[in-house]
């Protein structure tokens, strides 16, 4: 818990943001090509809604994190690109936490990251094997490797 509070403090995050850290691999994937795009953000938002519902379900129907807090969290990381080191550290922390989750929860994160990577091709028409750019493929491999260990 001490490590979590240090992480939250270092990045000026609120205690309830701890429940939203599972969004960080998706947020980093949004920025992997250097820009955030509407289709990518929509996938992130849909995943966040599902994540909030899962949190509520685990808490016997109680609201763990409000939609407003979740939207503010997403907005903070989507409005302006955060420093790469911050994204990586938060993603790595999130992936460590996700290792303790069910296979289906880890699979949901991987599928959402894959959807984000495939959502926007850099140009049309694109050459075979170039729908997802190199930076996105590299990040996808890192995320998938971490979640399948």
């Amino acid at each position: 818990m001490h490590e979590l509070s240090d992480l939250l403090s270092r990045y000026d995050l609120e205690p309830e943001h701890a429940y939203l850290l599972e969004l960080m691999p998706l947020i980093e994937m949004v920025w992997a090509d250097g820009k955030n795009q509407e289709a990518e953000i929509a996938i992130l938002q849909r995943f966040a809604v599902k994540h909030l519902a899962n949190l509520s379900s685990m808490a016997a129907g109680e609201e763990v994190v409000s939609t407003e807090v979740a939207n503010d969290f997403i907005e903070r990381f989507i409005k302006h690109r955060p420093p790469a080191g911050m994204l990586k550290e938060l993603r790595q922390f999130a992936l460590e936490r996700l290792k303790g989750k069910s296979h289906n929860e880890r699979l949901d994160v991987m599928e959402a990251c894959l959807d984000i990577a495939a959502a926007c091709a850099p140009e049309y028409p694109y050459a075979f094997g170039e729908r997802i750019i190199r930076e996105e493929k590299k990040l996808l491999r890192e995320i998938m490797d971490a979640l399948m260990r």
Side-chain angles (χ1 to χ4, degrees):
M1 187 65 163
H2 181 60
E3 183 182 351
L4 175 59
S5 61
D6 289 346
L7 186 76
L8 295 174
S9 176
R10 187 167 47 256
Y11 293 118
D12 195 30
L13 296 169
E14 300 298 324
E16 61 268 22
H17 291 156
Y19 296 102
L20 301 172
L21 291 177
E22 283 86 349
L23 302 177
M24 293 312 299
L26 285 72
I27 291 169
E28 189 175 18
M29 185 58 64
V30 165
W31 288 110
D33 63 356
K35 55 189 177 278
N36 61 359
Q37 298 167 335
E38 282 185 42
E40 297 169 325
I41 295 168
I43 294 165
L44 169 62
Q45 290 169 330
R46 280 194 306 271
F47 183 89
V49 167
K50 184 177 177 182
H51 181 66
L52 292 179
N54 287 340
L55 288 173
S56 178
S57 176
M58 289 187 300
E62 295 293 320
E63 181 180 77
V64 177
V65 178
S66 71
T67 303
E68 182 181 357
V69 167
N71 287 338
D72 289 346
F73 180 86
I74 291 169
E75 180 71 17
R76 173 186 176 181
F77 290 102
I78 292 301
K79 188 172 185 173
H80 301 288
R81 185 177 187 176
M86 174 192 219
L87 286 173
K88 184 175 182 177
E89 184 176 9
L90 291 172
R91 180 217 344 143
Q92 288 174 332
F93 188 86
L95 291 173
E96 280 301 313
R97 287 180 52 175
L98 282 161
K99 286 180 184 179
K101 304 282 183 171
S102 74
H103 175 76
N104 285 340
E105 288 174 291
R106 293 189 318 269
L107 190 59
D108 285 346
V109 171
M110 287 192 313
E111 287 177 355
C113 287
L114 183 59
D115 288 343
I116 289 169
C120 302
E123 61 184 48
Y124 290 96
Y126 50 87
F128 179 76
E130 293 182 7
R131 167 110 186 134
I132 299 174
I133 64 168
R134 182 179 30 237
E135 293 84 1
E136 290 171 327
K137 287 178 183 179
K138 179 182 182 295
L139 182 56
L140 274 171
R141 280 192 301 272
E142 290 175 17
I143 291 168
M144 290 180 181
D145 286 348
L147 290 174
M148 290 295 104
R149 276 191 250 148

